Amino acid sequence: MIDHLRDIASVREATDRLLEAVSSWDNAALAEPSRLPGWTRGHVLAHLARNADALVNVLQGLPMYKDAESREADIERDAGRPVEAQLADLRVTADRFEEVCREPADWDRTVELRNGVTDRAARVPFRRWVEVALHHVDLDAGYELEDLPEEFLTREIEFLADRWSGRPDVPPVTLRPERAEDHPGWRTGGTEGEPVVLRGTAAELLGWLSGRGDKGARLTVVSGGGVPELPPL
């Protein structure tokens, strides 16, 4: 069962953790490259602020973004702001997102995100948690996949395994967590190609699924030809 109220609290914890890290930076640190190709740390923070606005739109039954072009333009517009402006924007938008999440609502309703993707409203807080937590890692600020809460790792592995399922460009893959012999693992990928079984820590499995960290370089290939290369998310 999805507990959106618990996820809202987790979003707040993740946001506060990120804000504490960024509050020690100067403008030069903000202009340094992030781990996302072509984006500075300022781009990542601008995206997080605008994503909070976008998810408020989703919960209010509005289009998530006006269009792809305006989404990218807003990030570029806000990426170069000084640290104080970035922090203020992140705080205000985070507070607004939480405020809307705590309003009485039908959390079983279906909402629409980008590109026609739909989901239950109750899953939106977790989606925001994903944005904040993984982009904190992307900031290259000493917070790594291994630092993410175990609950988050498990849930995001499940989510991304499902997202990659049925993809003809991904072979059938079974993911098995280390030191959990009784765990059934997660299945992902399509039906074409040689089946692969991979084993690793939750952080390593999530790194491969999300294209982060070493992208699966430390995973153990239990069977199959090797660690498949995933397309961009």
Side-chain angles (χ1 to χ4, degrees), residues 72-163:
E72 298 300 326
D74 288 348
I75 294 171
E76 286 295 335
R77 178 197 65 205
D78 296 340
R81 297 175 300 177
V83 172
E84 292 78 8
Q86 296 276 20
L87 287 169
D89 195 13
L90 286 167
R91 291 189 183 102
V92 168
T93 53
D95 289 347
R96 176 59 176 154
F97 175 75
E98 183 171 347
E99 176 186 338
V100 170
C101 283
R102 294 191 180 280
E103 293 175 354
D106 174 13
W107 287 95
D108 286 327
R109 73 190 187 279
T110 298
V111 294
E112 183 172 343
L113 295 107
R114 291 180 64 199
N115 304 320
V117 173
T118 59
D119 205 345
R120 286 179 57 208
R123 286 177 61 91
V124 171
F126 179 68
R127 285 179 175 270
R128 178 59 182 173
W129 187 11
V130 170
E131 291 288 329
V132 176
L134 291 186
H135 284 318
H136 192 166
V137 174
D138 294 333
L139 287 172
D140 196 16
Y143 188 70
E144 304 296 341
L145 293 171
E146 292 78 8
D147 298 316
L148 293 166
E150 192 67 29
E151 177 195 356
F152 176 89
L153 290 167
T154 300
R155 291 176 64 184
E156 183 63 355
I157 288 171
E158 292 174 351
F159 177 80
L160 290 178
D162 181 68
R163 181 169 178 175

